[in-house]
Amino acid sequence: MNDIFPALFHMLVFPGGLFALVAGLFLKGLDRRVEARMQRRVGPPLWQPFLDIVKLALKQTVIPATAQRTAFLAAPVLGFAGMAVCAALIPVAGAYAGLPGLGDLLVLFYLLPLPAVALMVGGSASSSPFGALGFSREMCMMLAYEVPLLAVLLAVAMKVGAATGVGVEFSLSAVVGYQLAHGSLALDPVMWPALAAYLLFLPGTMGVPPFDVPEAETEVLEGPLLEYSGPALGFFHLASALKTMVVLGLGVAMFFPAPLPGGALVNVAWFLAKCAGLMLLTLTVVKAATGRFRVEQAFLFYLKYPAPLALLSLGLAWRGL
Amino acid sequence: MLRKLAARSPWLYRINTGSCNGCDVELLTTACIPRYDVERLGCRYCGSPRHADIVLITGPLTVRLKDKVLRVWEEIPEPKVTVAVGICPVSGGVFRGGYSIAGPVDKYLPIDINVPGCPPRPQAIIEGVIKARDAWLARMGG
């Protein structure tokens, strides 16, 4: 019983739930602002995503007559809930050690695709042909980018496990703890290919150009999101904001968690700064500078480059390097 | 209060009812090129009519497109504001009196804002969007 309330606090307030939501939405705003500046535009204010959410909450929700109602309305909530739990599992070095016994790389691996699954369920439940197209594209992308993700997670687990002598270490708190004691994994040449693979995985999982194949608005009219409106669409945007926070936070926790001297507040700010830097590097700049892959190009890209890189790190870590 | 905040996030949707593309190029230009940035008003072009708040209609409404345009317009959730861009939706423009023209658009749809011009200047379109935003706020009851 005593464990439940701290766990609930971590899921609803910090670092999951509220905190991740606000931080994620601000990151999205920063993303849009910097992208606009790269194109020499003024860009929207930083809190634009909040305004969008308020707007969507006040709009009417249209449910297509031929849609499968329950699945259509449950899908966005499913994606949102999955990401809210995920956000509570990410340790913030120097401020939050992660949920004991739950902060696990494998749990994260199973929870991370939930927004994509929600998109697929929602898209196919909407009974729109564009939703179905988006479904197949999302499925294709998922199969491609989950391979390098799994290899990266295994490489990290193997590396830390070999160094601490427990074989394979899946606990995220232990991974962060090891790095606090022995230096960040990003400084270890063995892990560089895995880090590169993770950086390449980020735009794919966030569905930004050049990997925005499932939601391509000029080809499949936003795909699975086509039929959504009002609060249901808002939930997809919230889930996406949370997911931004989760995948960036996971990257920071796995590769460069090193905290600053100082209190918890300093380290939360430092963590957010690292997340923002990672986002600008892997999402914003890439998004503003590229077009869009065709679906098979994006698929092959993930199997050609990030997957072998991650497997290389995995092999090296397995040999105990 | 909430409505005032919401009005700072108008998402735009374009319907081309058989326009010559001049107005559409101007619309894209206002959004895309650095000098006239509508994103700073919180606007965003969306690919789906279901996401839209402000509809920008171009073109004289041809006979073949009439039913489809009306159907797409019906798909847009309330509250919405309709903006006619260019003179074609108002009068038919150079296509006026043609055998293929079913318009003007306001015979079939309630037009809230007119942005005249052939094509209108980007500044005029942005002003139209701002007026549409105010009309939208009034329609939400804010």
Side-chain angles (χ1 to χ4, degrees):
Chain A
M1 209 44 202
N2 283 333
D3 301 344
I4 293 219
F5 290 108
L8 268 183
F9 173 77
H10 288 316
M11 269 180 206
L12 296 178
V13 185
F14 176 87
L18 208 57
F19 171 77
L21 209 54
V22 173
L25 285 173
F26 266 119
L27 280 181
K28 287 249 163 194
L30 180 69
D31 175 49
R32 277 175 75 177
R33 183 95 177 162
V34 172
E35 189 194 4
R37 285 296 160 94
M38 282 186 67
Q39 297 168 346
R40 300 201 188 162
R41 289 187 285 123
V42 178
L46 271 185
W47 49 89
Q48 186 61 43
F50 292 92
L51 303 175
D52 290 348
I53 296 290
V54 171
K55 195 274 303 286
L56 288 172
L58 293 177
K59 286 283 273 193
Q60 171 195 12
T61 303
V62 180
I63 303 172
T66 45
Q68 216 290 330
R69 277 185 75 96
T70 324
F72 184 75
L73 290 177
V77 183
L78 171 80
F80 174 74
M83 278 304 101
V85 174
C86 249
L89 303 182
I90 307 288
V92 180
Y96 171 59
L99 284 179
L102 274 179
D104 191 300
L105 289 174
L106 284 185
V107 175
L108 275 174
F109 178 71
Y110 280 111
L111 284 179
L112 266 184
L114 261 183
V117 172
L119 264 184
M120 293 196 280
V121 171
S124 49
S126 73
S127 81
S128 145
F130 292 109
L133 264 178
F135 169 91
S136 83
R137 286 170 166 219
E138 182 78 55
M139 189 78 205
C140 217
M141 285 303 291
M142 221 173 99
L143 288 177
Y145 64 67
E146 292 288 294
V147 175
L149 173 65
L150 182 60
V152 169
L153 294 183
L154 280 179
V156 168
M158 195 80 88
K159 171 81 190 159
V160 175
T164 50
V166 291
V168 187
E169 180 62 84
F170 279 118
S171 161
L172 200 50
S173 343
V175 168
V176 172
Y178 166 79
Q179 295 183 74
L180 296 190
H182 298 90
S184 296
L185 285 182
L187 301 177
D188 186 341
V190 172
M191 298 309 289
W192 285 349
L195 177 58
Y198 194 77
L199 295 185
L200 291 172
F201 154 81
L202 285 176
T205 189
M206 290 315 300
V208 301
F211 303 108
D212 61 336
V213 184
E215 286 123 68
E217 75 278 2
T218 41
E219 292 164 25
V220 291
L221 307 175
E222 317 213 0
L225 291 179
L226 171 68
E227 293 289 347
Y228 278 98
S229 58
L233 181 62
F235 264 108
F236 272 118
H237 283 267
L238 288 178
S240 164
L242 279 177
K243 189 176 177 184
T244 315
M245 205 53 219
V246 168
V247 289
L248 295 173
L250 179 62
V252 171
M254 282 198 308
F255 292 105
F256 35 90
L260 288 178
L265 273 181
V266 178
N267 277 309
V268 170
W270 176 230
F271 173 77
L272 286 178
K274 281 192 281 195
C275 284
L278 192 58
M279 179 190 73
L280 294 182
L281 177 71
T282 59
L283 302 181
T284 312
V285 172
V286 175
K287 175 162 81 170
T290 54
R292 185 184 301 124
F293 277 140
R294 288 199 308 270
V295 64
E296 82 276 10
Q297 287 170 325
F299 186 80
L300 283 179
F301 174 86
Y302 271 106
L303 297 186
K304 259 188 206 161
Y305 305 106
L309 280 174
L311 287 174
L312 175 66
S313 266
L314 178 59
L316 290 174
W318 184 55
R319 293 298 303 267
L321 285 169
Chain B
M1 167 65 187
L2 276 182
R3 295 197 177 96
K4 282 220 167 101
L5 289 178
R8 292 171 63 185
S9 159
W11 288 2
L12 313 176
Y13 182 71
R14 302 186 306 255
I15 302 181
N16 179 337
T17 67
S19 138
C20 69
N21 249 347
C23 294
D24 301 281
V25 171
E26 289 299 322
L27 281 180
L28 268 179
T29 315
T30 54
C32 294
I33 70 166
R35 201 169 294 178
Y36 315 108
D37 177 25
V38 287
E39 204 187 3
R40 70 197 150 148
L41 303 174
C43 297
R44 184 160 116 171
Y45 279 126
C46 45
S48 157
R50 291 254 199 263
H51 304 178
D53 306 303
I54 293 178
V55 203
L56 303 163
I57 291 187
T58 58
L61 192 62
T62 59
V63 172
R64 294 194 75 149
L65 273 172
K66 193 188 88 191
D67 293 339
K68 283 149 195 135
V69 167
L70 295 184
R71 213 177 126 196
V72 169
W73 192 83
E74 287 291 320
E75 301 271 332
I76 298 165
E78 295 288 346
K80 61 188 162 197
V81 170
T82 316
V83 181
V85 177
I87 54 169
C88 285
V90 188
S91 68
V94 292
F95 306 108
R96 185 184 180 110
Y99 66 93
S100 59
I101 304 300
V105 176
D106 62 358
K107 265 207 300 207
Y108 306 97
L109 299 177
I111 303 283
D112 298 290
I113 313 284
N114 273 310
V115 182
C118 185
R121 293 184 66 82
Q123 294 93 325
I125 296 179
I126 292 180
E127 194 189 349
V129 169
I130 292 173
K131 282 192 174 151
R133 191 185 64 177
D134 297 341
W136 179 45
L137 180 61
R139 192 152 300 169
M140 283 193 293

